[in-house]
Amino acid sequence: MSSYLELSARERLAQLFDAGSFTEFLPPKARVISPHLAQLDAPVAFDDGVAVGRACLDGRTVFAAAQEGGFMGGAVGEVHGAKLVGLLRRAIAERAAGVVLLLESGGVRLHEANAGLVAVSEVMRAVLDARNAGVPVIALIGGANGCFGGMGIVARCTNAVIMSEEARLGMSGPEVIETASGVEEFDSRDRALVWRTTGGKHRYLLGDCQELVADKVADFRAAAIATLDRLQVQETALSLAALEAEQDMLARRLDRFGTLEEPMQIWAALGIAEPRSLPLLEAGPFVEQVAAHRIGAN
Amino acid sequence: MEKLTYRFAGGSRALPHTAEVVGVVSSGNLEVLIESAPLNGDCAIEVNTAALGFGATWEAVMRDFHERWQLTDTRIAINDMGATPAVVSLRLDQAVETVLGGPP
């Protein structure tokens, strides 16, 4: 029973997909490193913090990427982003059964400035291109660094997001919000508040993620297989109708919850009888308990 | 950053023709890329480290490593973010054991 959270990117790839099936493109031996970090006298990694390649998931050939949260918080630089884009384009060219992104990232690598920003926007475009070509893209989020900034947007550009309770998904991280808007707005040192606001359970309740699983590699694997099965018989492309439905959902969310001050009030407004009990529930009982209340359940 | 290079001769243990990377470039940690390469029987090590001024310590750790494993025709590249000598030794052993498919 391996904790997904505690594994490195490469360990996740080795354990999540069929044993020995991951074949890496541009492995560390190729030494495709960041052209920017050396100029800043900063350490580089031989894979620039992301491993990409082909793998089997329950016998099906998929394309996979895993960001390494330990290297610069999984932040996206020029090479890192280009590897993700290349993977998505190759998935289209080879008509892969799907793309599975193991995301863990603070967003754009600030050292690489505009090159990093451009890279992230190219990843977004590539995800939508893959979906448009009929290749489903799913995001797994369960690392200690969460998934923030541009990669938070990338996650929500995919067909489905699978998270653990320990995972976090958002745009600006807690420290950024506190720095910009003050501690009265958001206390980044209040761990419980941070997880209530950005954690997997809240995202699941709000309809921002489609599956909530326990922090186990086997559970992430099972959810990825089930999600890929489900997507085989669905339209993968992002349609105007789907976009408008999403916009409606967001508008309703703002309308219903916009004046509330903390996630627990939102859970109560969703009709959950004992919102205080939610943070203590294991993933399975939690999903059962909130099934009738979460947004996007139907 | 500081770049340090070492080259040891006289080793006898050859590695299979694969490359492996172990470890992560994160605070107090390092990655080790190990591969077989035609180096006239030598073991060549290149270290890129964020911690400046520890050349003598690195040399001692690398010499110990070579005495332990006696590698021949091997290239090792290290990206380091301030790992302690003990962590460096463990990662180097892990790298060799990974390439060899287990402890000797």
Side-chain angles (χ1 to χ4, degrees):
Chain A
M1 280 305 168
S2 200
S3 160
Y4 183 97
L5 182 92
E6 290 177 11
L7 297 182
S8 70
R10 289 176 182 279
E11 289 167 335
R12 285 173 191 159
L13 289 167
Q15 294 184 30
L16 193 110
F17 296 97
D18 299 356
S21 71
F22 180 69
T23 310
E24 188 168 359
F25 306 146
L26 297 181
K29 183 180 159 62
R31 292 173 168 80
V32 183
I33 57 168
S34 164
H36 305 277
L37 292 176
Q39 291 177 37
L40 297 167
D41 208 29
V44 299
F46 289 126
D47 59 9
D48 206 35
V50 65
V52 301
R54 193 192 281 108
C56 289
L57 184 61
D58 201 27
R60 207 179 264 146
T61 300
V62 296
F63 282 63
Q67 295 180 297
E68 175 51 63
F71 180 62
M72 302 196 148
V76 180
E78 185 174 1
V79 170
H80 183 124
K83 285 174 77 172
L84 289 169
V85 171
L87 181 84
L88 286 153
R89 289 186 183 163
R90 190 160 170 183
I92 297 171
E94 297 191 18
R95 300 182 178 280
V99 178
V100 182
L101 303 175
L102 280 53
L103 304 182
E104 178 171 358
S105 179
V108 169
R109 190 183 295 166
L110 299 178
H111 309 66
E112 308 203 11
N114 294 359
L117 285 164
V118 170
V120 169
S121 66
E122 285 178 349
V123 174
M124 289 173 205
R125 184 179 291 268
V127 166
L128 295 174
D129 283 347
R131 288 183 55 179
N132 209 35
V135 178
V137 183
I138 63 179
L140 275 53
I141 306 173
N145 290 277
C147 184
F148 287 97
M151 288 313 293
I153 305 176
V154 168
R156 293 293 281 117
C157 286
T158 66
N159 288 99
V161 176
I162 300 167
M163 294 177 75
S164 63
E165 178 187 2
E166 290 78 1
R168 292 175 295 147
L169 170 64
M171 185 61 216
S172 298
E175 287 81 3
V176 177
I177 299 172
E178 182 180 328
T179 304
S181 304
V183 71
E184 305 83 6
E185 176 71 19
F186 199 79
D187 182 354
S188 67
R189 283 164 303 175
D190 184 341
R191 308 286 280 178
L193 173 67
V194 167
W195 259 264
R196 278 202 300 280
T197 311
T198 60
K201 283 177 174 169
H202 187 55
R203 291 294 165 214
Y204 185 72
L205 283 166
L206 286 187
D208 292 327
C209 87
Q210 284 65 48
E211 299 283 340
L212 185 86
V213 299
D215 174 37
K216 291 175 186 151
V217 181
D219 290 21
F220 270 101
R221 175 181 160 87
I225 292 169
T227 300
L228 213 51
D229 281 343
R230 177 170 63 77
L231 292 170
Q232 296 305 308
V233 292
Q234 285 182 10
E235 178 61 52
T236 56
L238 180 62
S239 65
L240 180 60
L243 208 57
E244 285 175 344
E246 178 94 4
Q247 181 65 30
D248 276 352
M249 186 268 273
L250 292 172
R252 277 200 309 277
R253 231 160 75 170
L254 190 62
D255 191 41
R256 284 177 77 187
F257 312 130
T259 57
L260 303 181
E261 298 201 335
E262 106 108 76
M264 221 175 273
Q265 298 173 351
I266 297 178
W267 305 346
L270 283 169
I272 287 159
E274 282 188 57
R276 275 180 184 285
S277 70
L278 292 190
L280 298 173
L281 291 176
E282 301 284 330
F286 169 82
V287 168
E288 239 167 75
Q289 185 153 334
V290 305
H293 304 288
R294 65 180 285 258
I295 295 172
N298 312 312
Chain B
M1 298 296 294
E2 187 171 348
K3 181 193 267 195
L4 306 162
T5 56
Y6 305 94
R7 198 164 176 124
F8 301 102
S12 53
R13 191 196 302 265
L15 298 179
H17 289 283
T18 57
E20 293 283 352
V21 71
V22 300
V24 170
V25 188
S26 59
S27 179
N29 204 342
L30 74 164
E31 71 175 354
V32 176
L33 174 61
I34 186 168
E35 57 195 323
S36 64
L39 294 170
N40 293 321
D42 291 356
C43 173
I45 306 176
E46 181 183 311
V47 180
N48 280 289
T49 176
L52 310 183
F54 289 90
T57 310
W58 278 102
E59 168 139 20
V61 171
M62 295 302 132
R63 199 162 287 286
D64 279 355
F65 166 74
H66 181 66
E67 279 172 21
R68 249 189 338 274
W69 289 99
Q70 297 289 324
L71 298 179
T72 180
D73 283 329
T74 302
R75 175 173 286 128
I76 292 173
I78 291 173
N79 289 318
D80 171 63
M81 263 183 90
T84 61
V87 171
V88 175
S89 286
L90 282 168
R91 283 276 178 245
L92 283 164
D93 288 354
Q94 183 191 1
V96 179
E97 288 178 11
T98 304
V99 169
L100 294 176

